[in-house]
């Protein structure tokens, strides 16, 4: 795979299964260089093997499909090239979509009511005078912000305190009715006058524009706001009887000083939200909650936070269940060995009292089904990453997944086996020559097993070697197709990737092994994995080694090259490089470093790449994004400057307009440019026949 092949990477959403069990709908999105954006539409995927998938919509970017419970309507989010995603509906049998919302900052999520007559949705709601709510006042001319809390901004979002996610309910109109039309001429003039837009001195331009906007909005069904607190409300879903909306939020007293998130519900007619509490649970952050179809139970996914309410380090996400109105909760999953945060970490209902869940498991993501009484079964496992699942109408479970040969496809689970329904990556395989990774396990210096993969380029070698380190650190490399490894292998590099202690998917003890001990056994593990591979494969050139990583991977790269000088060059990307300055500059700095490194000066210095930067001799490319709020750009700037000051060959590649997610969801142009600059850096220090 080459950088110019990025548009061949087609990602597939979680499926929406039609209630009659005959078909599913997914969103298929890809990078597009012409638009310098992500484009894609909805596809209908028949379960009948005699029928082929086909494109269902033709929007710029259509995502998040969901059928109404009665199967008559399909709802989804549509974004234009220059706009925010808005809620749309279309007849399930086909037709022209109708827009339901005009949220200034877009709609983020939604859920159907049980009677199929209304939809609850979440949308960031700006304070008056901000984000274009006042004509003529640009972002740079807005009033100053007075910050008093820790939680005031988020990577990829920016300031959050002045635009929290609120919940709204909107009624779905009859789709076969004659469409309403916008007022014009005399009628529009009369409406402007009624709104005070025309005075005896003539029209005011700004107010006239507002009147036109109001007239356009009048064509849309009126949405009713359900929540109002100055915090995000998410994970919305209707109760089984349709009387309430469940959601998760941090509405408790002292919420600015901990990571707790609780379950609440609010009447569909409005009013104060009420907490739905598990009487026997400790301090938790709840990721999602859904009432069972039979109405008896409330399933919820949660991580424990310890007595402090901040101890989030490598906490597995567990499935809990309690009575729908609250009460004593039971834990249904083994919290030590299962991490049910796979995929989007959501809950998909199946049957009267069971749910489908995704589990991170040793470089894969499995599909499991749990019942309210504690019984569970493993539905899909093996060398793949399940990204979503749905079941309806007694039909088979439909799953979306990726593996070594596809960026995303859809399959039906029948008699315990997956039957492939789509092949969205066929062009990628034909044009990009995908290389399947080899699974490996090597012993660390203390005998601990370290699991990972080698992507070996064609030819007999010896090949220069790139040791890649993932971010997180509580994350995992998987068996799924990974564009980074494919691009580097196509350029002639052998790519090594492993999941050292600190990673997800191998149990809580594995993940928590580096709490207040970053750069210890994790560095030992990645270097032992490298040594094991060099000893096993003659095709690897032990004298031509590079090391690279992003976020936590940037941290461990910078830490390693201060102590191990065998690498010809390094790439330190969006790194957590100075625990001290991170505290006040990162969106998560107020708690992250203290939990991972400890909070004393001695602890931070003992685990800080900036504290050991004077020992670095390895030529290093530092990559960062200007709008990165997770690992702020000052981390990279200061590290680069320190390297230059001591005479290390260093370069600083900085991307405007991008945030911490550049390599995954940055603009296609920047993603391509990033690959090109990385390959140029490696060609300088680790030339190959393919990348001279």
């Amino acid at each position: 795979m080459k950088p110019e092949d990025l548009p061949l990477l087609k990602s597939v959403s979680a499926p929406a299964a039609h209630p009659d069990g005959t078909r599913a709908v997914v969103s298929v999105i890809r990078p597009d260089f012409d638009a310098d954006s992500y484009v894609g539409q909805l596809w209908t995927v028949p379960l009948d093997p005699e029928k082929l998938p086909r494109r269902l919509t033709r929007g710029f970017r259509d995502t998040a499909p969901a059928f109404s419970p009665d199967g008559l309507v399909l709802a989804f989010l549509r974004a234009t090239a220059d706009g925010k995603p808005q809620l749309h509906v279309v007849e399930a049998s086909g037709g022209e979509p109708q827009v339901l919302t005009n949220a200034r900052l877009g709609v983020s999520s939604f859920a159907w009511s049980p009677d199929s007559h209304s939809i609850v949705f979440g949308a960031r709601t700006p304070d008056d005078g901000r984000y274009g709510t006042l004509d003529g006042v640009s972002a740079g001319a807005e009033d100053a912000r007075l910050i008093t809390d820790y939680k005031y901004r988020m990577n990829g979002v920016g300031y959050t305190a002045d635009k929290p996610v609120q919940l709204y309910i909107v009624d779905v109109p009859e789709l076969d009715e004659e469409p309403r039309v916008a007022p014009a001429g005399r009628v529009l003039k009369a409406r402007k006058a009624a709104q005070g837009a025309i005075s005896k001195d003539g029209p005011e331009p700004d107010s006239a524009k507002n009147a036109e906007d109001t007239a356009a909005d009048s064509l849309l069904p009126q949405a009713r706001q359900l929540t109002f607190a100055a915090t995000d409300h998410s994970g919305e879903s209707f109760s089984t009887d349709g009387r309430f909306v469940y959601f998760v939020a941090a509405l408790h007293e002292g919420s600015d000083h901990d990571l707790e998130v609780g379950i609440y519900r609010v009447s569909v007619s409005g009013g104060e939200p009420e907490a739905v509490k598990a009487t026997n649970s400790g301090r938790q952050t709840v990721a999602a909650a859904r009432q069972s179809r039979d109405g008896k139970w409330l399933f919820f996914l949660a991580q424990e936070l310890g007595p402090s309410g901040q101890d989030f380090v490598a906490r597995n996400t567990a499935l809990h269940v309690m009575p729908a109105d609250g009460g004593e909760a039971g834990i249904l999953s083994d919290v030590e060995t299962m991490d049910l945060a796979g995929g989007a970490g959501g809950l998909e209902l199946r049957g009267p009292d069971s749910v489908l869940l995704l589990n991170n498991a040793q470089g894969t993501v499995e599909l499991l089904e749990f019942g309210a009484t504690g019984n569970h079964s493993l539905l899909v496992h093996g060398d793949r990453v399940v990204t979503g699942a749905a079941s309806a109408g007694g039909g088979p479970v439909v799953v979306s997944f990726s593996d070594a040969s596809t960026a995303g496809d859809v399959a039906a689970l029948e008699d315990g086996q997956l039957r492939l329904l789509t092949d969205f990556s066929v062009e990628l395989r034909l044009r990009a020559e995908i290389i399947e990774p080899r699974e490996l396990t090597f012993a660390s210096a203390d005998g601990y097993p370290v699991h990972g993969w080698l992507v070996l380029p064609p030819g007999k070698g010896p090949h220069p070697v790139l040791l890649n380190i993932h971010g997180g650190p509580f994350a995992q490399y998987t068996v799924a197709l990974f564009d980074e490894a494919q691009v580097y292998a196509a350029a002639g590099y052998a790519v090594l990737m492993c999941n050292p202690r600190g990673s997800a998917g191998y149990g809580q003890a594995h993940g928590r092994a580096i709490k207040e001990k970053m750069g210890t056994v994790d560095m030992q593990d990645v270097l032992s994995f490298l040594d094991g591979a060099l000893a096993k494969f003659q095709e690897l050139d032990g004298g031509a080694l590079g090391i690279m990583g992003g976020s936590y991977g940037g941290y461990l790269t910078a830490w390693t090259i201060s102590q191990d000088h065998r690498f010809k060059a390094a790439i330190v990307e969006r790194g957590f490089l100075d625990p001290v300055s991170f505290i006040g500059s990162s969106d998560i700095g107020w708690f992250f470093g203290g939990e991972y490194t400890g909070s004393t000066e001695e602890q931070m210095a003992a685990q800080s790449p900036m504290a050991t930067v004077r020992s670095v001799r390895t030529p290093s490319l530092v990559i960062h994004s200007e709008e990165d709020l997770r690992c702020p750009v000052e981390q990279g700037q200061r590290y680069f400057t320190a390297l230059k000051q001591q005479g290390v060959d260093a370069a600083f590649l900085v991307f405007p307009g991008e945030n911490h997610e550049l390599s995954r969801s940055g603009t296609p142009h920047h993603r391509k440019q990033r690959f090109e600059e990385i390959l140029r850096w490696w060609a300088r220090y680790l030339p190959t026949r393919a990348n001279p």
Side-chain angles (χ1 to χ4, degrees):
M1 179 179 171
K2 300 183 183 303
E4 55 266 29
D5 292 327
L6 276 170
L8 301 178
L9 291 173
K10 297 178 180 179
S11 62
V12 177
S13 72
H18 192 275
D20 67 8
T22 62
R23 65 192 189 276
V25 170
V26 294
S27 172
V28 182
I29 303 296
R30 65 173 182 83
D32 184 88
F33 288 141
D34 291 339
D36 199 20
S37 186
Y38 293 84
V39 303
Q41 296 80 38
L42 305 185
W43 284 68
T44 184
V45 181
L47 271 62
D48 184 342
E50 300 299 319
K51 298 180 180 179
L52 295 176
R54 64 179 179 86
R55 199 183 311 270
L56 186 64
T57 63
R58 305 195 65 81
F60 179 80
R61 184 166 60 250
D62 296 339
T63 60
F67 283 108
S68 59
D70 62 13
L72 299 179
V73 181
L74 178 68
F76 63 97
L77 300 181
R78 168 170 288 180
T80 60
D82 57 354
K84 300 293 184 181
Q86 303 295 343
L87 182 60
H88 286 65
V89 289
V90 64
E91 291 179 88
S93 58
E96 185 174 351
Q98 297 183 33
V99 61
L100 299 187
T101 62
N102 187 25
R104 185 174 291 274
L105 301 181
V107 172
S108 54
S109 57
F110 67 91
W112 279 98
S113 65
D115 64 6
S116 302
H117 291 161
S118 59
I119 294 175
V120 59
F121 66 90
R124 290 204 172 273
T125 304
D127 288 351
D128 290 342
R130 297 201 184 278
Y131 306 102
T133 56
L134 188 61
D135 289 325
V137 178
S138 65
E142 289 182 2
D143 290 345
R145 290 177 172 88
L146 178 64
I147 307 300
T148 58
D149 294 337
Y150 291 128
K151 304 174 186 178
Y152 67 94
R153 60 180 184 166
M154 183 185 302
N155 180 71
V157 177
Y159 290 102
T160 56
D162 55 14
K163 56 175 186 292
V165 177
Q166 303 292 2
L167 301 182
Y168 300 80
I169 283 184
V170 61
D171 292 332
V172 178
E174 295 295 332
L175 300 188
D176 59 354
E177 290 182 348
E178 181 180 355
R180 301 169 69 182
V181 296
R186 299 178 183 84
V187 175
L188 179 60
K189 181 178 180 180
R191 291 194 180 183
K192 289 178 181 179
Q195 295 165 11
I198 296 180
S199 69
K200 59 183 178 181
D201 297 322
E204 296 289 339
D206 286 348
S207 56
K209 179 180 181 300
N210 287 339
E212 292 171 0
D213 290 342
T214 301
D217 287 346
S218 69
L219 301 180
L220 303 177
Q222 186 67 40
R224 295 181 289 109
Q225 187 169 345
L226 287 180
T227 62
F228 297 88
T231 190
D232 286 350
H233 307 72
S234 60
E236 64 277 7
S237 65
F238 280 90
S239 61
T240 305
D241 60 13
R243 296 170 53 222
F244 298 96
V245 168
Y246 286 97
F247 63 93
V248 297
L251 300 181
H252 59 284
E253 186 176 352
S255 61
D256 190 48
H257 296 272
D258 59 45
L259 303 177
E260 287 187 73
V261 175
I263 306 170
Y264 296 85
R265 69 181 184 184
V266 62
S267 170
V268 295
S269 60
E272 284 296 315
E274 61 174 316
V276 184
K277 294 183 178 180
T279 56
N280 59 329
S281 296
R283 307 187 76 172
Q284 298 176 325
T285 179
V286 179
R290 291 286 301 275
Q291 190 174 7
S292 61
R293 285 177 176 163
D294 64 11
K296 296 179 181 179
W297 305 103
L298 190 68
F299 293 102
F300 63 100
L301 291 170
Q303 293 174 306
E304 301 300 322
L305 294 171
S308 69
Q310 292 186 17
D311 184 6
F312 76 101
V313 172
R315 296 286 193 175
N316 279 345
T317 298
L319 177 63
H320 303 247
V321 68
M322 64 179 169
D325 294 329
E328 186 172 347
I331 300 178
L332 300 180
S333 61
D334 184 345
V335 71
E336 291 299 325
T337 61
M338 290 183 178
D339 180 25
L340 301 178
L347 293 161
E348 181 68 25
L349 300 181
R350 189 190 190 205
D353 63 350
S354 64
V355 288
L356 300 175
L357 293 144
L358 305 182
N359 177 47
N360 291 320
Q362 301 185 13
T364 72
V365 178
E366 304 169 331
L367 176 64
L368 296 90
E369 180 178 4
F370 279 86
T373 58
N375 57 308
H376 73 275
S377 57
L378 179 60
L379 301 183
V380 179
H381 62 100
D383 289 338
R384 60 181 61 86
V385 170
V386 179
T387 54
S391 173
V397 174
V398 183
V399 302
S400 55
F401 71 96
S402 57
D403 60 22
S405 62
T406 178
D409 269 304
V410 185
L413 180 63
E414 298 173 341
D415 299 324
Q417 301 294 321
L418 288 181
R419 176 170 62 86
L420 193 63
L421 301 174
T422 65
D423 192 1
F424 291 117
S425 290
V426 59
E427 188 179 5
L428 174 67
R429 291 194 303 276
L430 290 175
R431 288 177 49 183
E433 299 180 6
I434 298 302
I435 303 170
E436 187 164 345
R438 304 186 186 189
E439 185 176 10
L440 303 168
T441 299
F442 296 112
S444 191
D446 59 359
Y448 192 87
V450 186
H451 179 226
W453 295 267
L454 165 65
V455 181
L456 195 63
K460 63 181 180 180
H463 306 290
V465 180
L466 301 181
L467 177 61
N468 276 30
I469 305 173
H470 67 63
F474 197 53
Q476 62 170 354
Y477 279 130
T478 72
V479 298
L481 191 149
F482 184 33
D483 61 333
E484 303 252 343
Q486 295 298 324
V487 167
Y488 306 146
Y493 298 100
V495 182
L496 286 170
M497 310 175 293
C498 66
N499 291 324
R501 276 168 279 190
S503 304
Y506 300 80
Q508 277 197 154
H510 183 93
R512 289 176 69 82
I514 64 169
K515 181 174 169 61
E516 300 186 14
K517 294 184 293 185
M518 292 181 72
T520 57
V521 293
D522 46 352
M523 181 177 72
Q524 174 185 295
D525 287 356
V526 297
L527 293 178
S528 295
F529 190 82
L530 170 63
D531 291 336
L534 292 175
K536 182 178 178 66
F537 296 97
Q538 294 183 346
E539 301 96 322
L540 306 186
D541 187 349
L545 304 179
I547 185 172
M548 65 189 302
S551 195
Y552 160 76
Y555 164 88
L556 198 55
T557 297
W559 180 256
T560 300
I561 61 176
S562 72
Q563 300 172 60
D564 191 313
H565 305 295
R566 71 175 104 172
F567 299 98
K568 297 292 186 183
I571 295 179
V572 178
E573 185 170 12
R574 59 181 186 273
F576 167 56
L577 303 174
D578 186 354
V580 177
S581 64
F582 192 84
I583 292 173
S585 60
S586 168
D587 61 348
I588 61 173
W590 63 277
F591 68 89
F592 180 92
E595 293 298 324
Y596 259 110
T597 67
S599 57
T600 69
E601 292 183 8
E602 293 77 15
Q603 286 175 309
M604 287 189 284
Q607 300 165 78
S608 169
M610 279 301 296
T612 58
V613 68
R614 293 193 178 278
S615 300
V616 176
R617 303 197 293 268
T618 307
S620 299
L621 172 63
V622 181
I623 303 177
H624 234 101
S625 296
E626 286 185 349
E627 296 182 11
D628 191 337
L629 299 182
R630 184 59 39 87
C631 292
V633 68
E634 60 88 14
Q635 299 272 302
Q637 290 169 327
R638 293 175 57 239
Y639 188 76
F640 162 72
T641 301
L643 292 176
K644 292 284 288 184
Q645 287 177 331
Q646 63 200 44
V648 175
D649 188 6
F652 186 43
L653 179 64
V654 60
F655 287 87
E658 301 290 357
N659 60 51
H660 197 66
E661 301 302 308
L662 164 65
S663 64
R664 295 176 282 264
S665 59
T667 63
H669 170 73
H670 279 158
R671 286 180 65 183
K672 178 173 178 286
Q673 186 179 36
R674 171 183 172 273
F675 272 141
E676 292 169 343
E677 292 293 340
I678 286 173
L679 292 177
R680 192 171 291 118
W681 181 260
W682 290 133
R684 178 178 174 186
Y685 291 98
L686 297 171
T688 70
R689 286 186 292 273
N691 189 32

